[in-house]
Amino acid sequence: MAVVMSMRWAGVSPGQYDTVRDAVRWEELAPAGAHLHVAWFDAQSLHVTDVWESQQAFEAFFAERLAPAIEKAGIAGEPEVAFSPLHRRFIVEGVTGAA
């Protein structure tokens, strides 16, 4: 069953996020089980909402690809992460790719 992953990571900057994104290259080499990724910032935190085929798919991606890049980028602390079953997904026709 697909899940929604919600993450809040205090203290992560847009520059750090971009460094990790460039190192992991998830936009070019999509992680197994990933369906959707949205990220934004407020004054204190990085926020991410993803849709994954399963919680295990996200956890494998985090352990194998994301964690090493996070460590190299010098990101401290741990994110707050929650998973919920996906009820419905709608993507507007013609919307694709990165912003």
Side-chain angles (χ1 to χ4, degrees), residues 15-41:
Q16 289 172 313
Y17 170 89
D18 290 341
T19 296
V20 171
R21 187 196 67 224
D22 292 346
V24 175
R25 300 182 61 221
W26 62 69
E27 292 176 8
E28 295 88 357
L29 303 167
H35 292 199
L36 175 76
H37 173 79
V38 180
W40 70 98
F41 294 86

Side-chain angles (χ1 to χ4, degrees), residues 8-14 16-17 41-46 74-76 78:
R8 178 184 169 274
W9 201 325
V12 175
S13 71
Q16 289 172 313
Y17 170 89
F41 294 86
D42 62 22
Q44 295 84 28
S45 304
L46 162 66
I75 297 173
E78 295 288 325

